[in-house]
Amino acid sequence: CSLGIHVILEEIGKPYETQRVNLRQGEQFQPTFLEINPKSKVPTLLRDDGSVLTEFPAIAYWLANRYPESKLWPETLEQQARALEAMDYLIATVHMQGFTRMFAPKRFAPSEADAEAVRQEGLRIFTNGLNVLDKTLSGKDYVVGPYSIADAAAFYIEYWADAQKVPLPANCAAHYARMRARAAVARAMQQEGLA
């Protein structure tokens, strides 16, 4: 999920540094990282003043409003509400409830025998989320109309679907292709070794 914030940073175009946290090796639970973010999660933004901001929607919102020239925060109240709505659903439901069950079913399974059923439930939630996103994108190039931080959240979900060979519905596939064509996305993916 750090990929979405990385895309936003590239869209803004200001200098920044990244620090890779190897989740598979549990670096997020090590004292060095816990001092920065006791939630043991990414993304985490260490700001110039030394303060830390966590959680994708909060970081994305702060970056978009800190750098308004980037035009990543929608102009109208309706578009702003829709951007927040989309990000919350994509992150809290599609990612955390769906994809996490797919990747780590044992964390949700009461026994080893239940792991596959949990994984399948995660896939159902994830696939349903893609269908909801597909309807949201109907008739639009981007999630709320104009390009915004919500598109970075949608992109990392679409990327995971692609990486896991979960078929993208038509509008999601078109959005994913538009996102992959953006220079900022290409740079972020290359820097994360995903290009």
Side-chain angles (χ1 to χ4, degrees), residues 4-5 11 19 22 24 27 31 35 40 52 64 79 81 96-97 99 103 119-120 130 136 144 156 163 179 190:
I5 295 298
E11 291 284 359
Q19 178 67 46
N22 190 323
R24 288 188 179 149
E27 287 181 10
E35 286 179 29
S40 302
V52 173
Q79 291 169 340
M96 298 306 296
Q97 296 298 318
F99 206 75
F103 258 27
R119 194 187 79 65
Q120 287 300 317
L130 289 173
T136 300
V144 300
Y156 91 76
M179 292 296 291
Q190 182 178 23

Side-chain angles (χ1 to χ4, degrees), residues 151-194:
D151 294 291
F155 172 72
Y156 91 76
I157 296 294
E158 292 162 341
Y159 171 78
W160 283 357
D162 185 32
Q164 294 300 306
K165 311 255 185 286
V166 175
L168 287 170
N171 295 322
C172 291
H175 177 264
Y176 184 56
R178 274 189 291 283
M179 292 296 291
R180 293 285 306 242
R182 293 183 74 86
V185 171
R187 288 189 303 270
M189 291 187 70
Q190 182 178 23
Q191 291 170 27
E192 293 206 10
L194 303 173

Side-chain angles (χ1 to χ4, degrees), residues 89-90 94 126-137 169 172:
Y89 179 69
L90 290 168
V94 181
F126 189 74
T127 302
N128 183 63
L130 289 173
N131 290 328
V132 170
L133 177 60
D134 194 65
K135 287 177 186 168
T136 300
L137 287 164
C172 291

Side-chain angles (χ1 to χ4, degrees), residues 62-131:
W62 184 85
L63 286 168
N65 283 280
R66 171 67 179 86
Y67 301 100
E69 66 277 9
S70 68
K71 299 188 185 307
L72 294 173
W73 185 239
E75 291 182 12
T76 72
L77 180 60
E78 179 66 15
Q79 291 169 340
Q80 292 168 6
R82 295 298 180 184
L84 292 171
E85 176 185 47
M87 285 190 304
D88 186 58
Y89 179 69
L90 290 168
I91 295 156
T93 300
V94 181
H95 171 176
M96 298 306 296
Q97 296 298 318
F99 206 75
T100 304
R101 279 180 170 79
M102 291 166 60
F103 258 27
K106 292 178 185 177
R107 289 178 25 198
F108 297 91
S111 72
E112 184 76 32
D114 297 315
E116 183 56 25
V118 169
R119 194 187 79 65
Q120 287 300 317
E121 177 61 7
L123 179 59
R124 185 196 67 74
I125 293 167
F126 189 74
T127 302
N128 183 63
L130 289 173
N131 290 328

